[in-house]
C-alpha cells in the first residue's frame, strides 16, 4: 500500500481552532497524485494518497477523510466501484472522480453507484478541481452544522417534554391582570433546582 501524508498550510491563514480538511487522492499513476499535491501546496489541506482502490479502502478505515478524488480506471477496483463502497461505509465523505476516457457509461455508473459530487476528465485543470473542493467543503461544513443544530433541537425538545411530563407546573406561566408574568418563588423551588441540575448535566454530555 502506498500512503503519504502532507500538511499544505503554507501561504494560507488557517483558524488554529479549526480542523484541517483531509483530501484522499487515489490513482495508480503516482505522478498524477504528486502533481495534484504540488498544485495544492498553498491550500490548507492535508493529503493522503493511495495507488489502488484497495489501498484507499484501508486508508478510509483508519483515517477521517473529508474529500476523495479517485481515478476511474485502476487495476482491481475501478474508481466507481471504490466510490460506491465509500458511499455505503462513509456517506458523509465527498466523492469526486477523474477519468481519462469521456465514457458516458462510466459517468452514469459513477453518479448512480458512487453518488459523486463532480466528474472530471483527464487531464484535469487543477484550478477547477481546487475551486470545486473548496465549494464542496463549504457545503459539507453547512451540512454538519445543520445536523448539530437539529441534534441540539431534538435533545432540548426531549428534555422539555420530560420536564412537562414530570413537573408541568414548571412550564406553566402565570400572569397578573396587566398581563405581566408572575413568578412564585416558593412554588416548585426544589423541582426547579433539580431541573437546572439535570439541564446542566445534559449540556455536559452533549
Amino acid at each position: 500500500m502506498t500512503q503519504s501524508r502532507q500538511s499544505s498550510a503554507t501561504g494560507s491563514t488557517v483558524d488554529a481552532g479549526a480542523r484541517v480538511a483531509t483530501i484522499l487522492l487515489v490513482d495508480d499513476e503516482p505522478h498524477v497524485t504528486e502533481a495534484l499535491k504540488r498544485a495544492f501546496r498553498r491550500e490548507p489541506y492535508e493529503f493522503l494518497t493511495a495507488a489502488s482502490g484497495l489501498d484507499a479502502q484501508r486508508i478510509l478505515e483508519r483515517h477521517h477523510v473529508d474529500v476523495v478524488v479517485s481515478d476511474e480506471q485502476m487495476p482491481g477496483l475501478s474508481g466507481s466501484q471504490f466510490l460506491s463502497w465509500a458511499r455505503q461505509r462513509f456517506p458523509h465523505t465527498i466523492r469526486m472522480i477523474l477519468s481519462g476516457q469521456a465514457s458516458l457509461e462510466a459517468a452514469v455508473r459513477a453518479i448512480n453507484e458512487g453518488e459523486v459530487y463532480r466528474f472530471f476528465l483527464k487531464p484535469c485543470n487543477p484550478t477547477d478541481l481546487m475551486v470545486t473542493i473548496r465549494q464542496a467543503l463549504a457545503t459539507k461544513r453547512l451540512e454538519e452544522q445543520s445536523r448539530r443544530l437539529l441534534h441540539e433541537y431534538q435533545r432540548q425538545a426531549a428534555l422539555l417534554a420530560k420536564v412537562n411530563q414530570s413537573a408541568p407546573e414548571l412550564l406553566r406561566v402565570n400572569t397578573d391582570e396587566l398581563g405581566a408574568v408572575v413568578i412564585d418563588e416558593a412554588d416548585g423551588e426544589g423541582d426547579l433546582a433539580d431541573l437546572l441540575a439535570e439541564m446542566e448535566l445534559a449540556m455536559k454530555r452533549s
Side-chain angles (χ1 to χ4, degrees):
M1 177 180 64
T2 302
Q3 176 181 346
S4 65
R5 192 171 185 89
Q6 170 184 315
S7 175
S8 303
T10 304
S12 298
T13 301
V14 183
D15 182 359
R19 181 179 59 80
V20 176
T22 299
I23 316 296
L24 173 59
L25 304 174
V26 187
D27 200 302
D28 60 323
E29 299 180 10
H31 70 274
V32 173
T33 54
E34 290 302 317
L36 290 175
K37 286 164 61 177
R38 287 195 299 271
F40 294 163
R41 65 186 179 278
R42 295 188 180 278
E43 293 298 299
Y45 306 139
E46 291 184 353
F47 288 96
L48 302 173
T49 61
S52 69
L54 290 176
D55 285 348
Q57 286 180 334
R58 298 186 186 101
I59 291 176
L60 279 179
E61 288 174 341
R62 293 200 303 267
H63 299 277
H64 175 87
V65 173
D66 296 285
V67 181
V68 176
V69 181
S70 175
D71 183 28
E72 166 60 17
Q73 295 193 344
M74 297 182 294
L77 286 177
S78 67
S80 54
Q81 288 174 327
F82 159 62
L83 293 180
S84 176
W85 174 89
R87 177 183 64 83
Q88 296 174 10
R89 295 288 300 275
F90 307 96
H92 298 307
T93 297
I94 299 167
R95 298 167 297 280
M96 303 183 189
I97 199 164
L98 303 175
S99 177
Q101 297 182 355
S103 166
L104 178 60
E105 179 184 356
V108 171
R109 183 170 61 249
I111 293 171
N112 290 342
E113 298 179 5
E115 293 185 1
V116 296
Y117 182 88
R118 183 75 181 272
F119 189 100
F120 288 94
L121 294 177
K122 287 184 175 182
C124 171
N125 184 324
T127 300
D128 290 343
L129 180 58
M130 178 176 61
V131 170
T132 302
I133 289 176
R134 287 177 184 172
Q135 294 173 341
L137 288 171
T139 300
K140 180 181 174 68
R141 284 192 291 269
L142 289 175
E143 291 175 348
E144 290 175 345
Q145 184 179 19
S146 296
R147 285 194 295 270
R148 285 195 298 269
L149 290 174
L150 177 60
H151 175 74
E152 179 64 15
Y153 167 78
Q154 292 172 335
R155 187 187 66 81
Q156 292 184 359
L159 180 59
L160 287 174
K162 181 178 179 181
V163 171
N164 189 46
Q165 182 179 10
S166 60
E169 67 278 4
L170 293 178
L171 302 181
R172 187 179 301 119
V173 176
N174 298 320
T175 60
D176 60 17
E177 62 276 6
L178 297 179
V181 176
V182 177
I183 300 177
D184 188 344
E185 296 182 356
D187 292 341
E189 184 175 348
D191 291 336
L192 180 58
D194 292 340
L195 171 61
L196 292 175
E198 183 176 354
M199 292 182 69
E200 182 177 0
L201 180 60
M203 291 296 292
K204 290 180 179 179
R205 290 174 177 171
S206 63

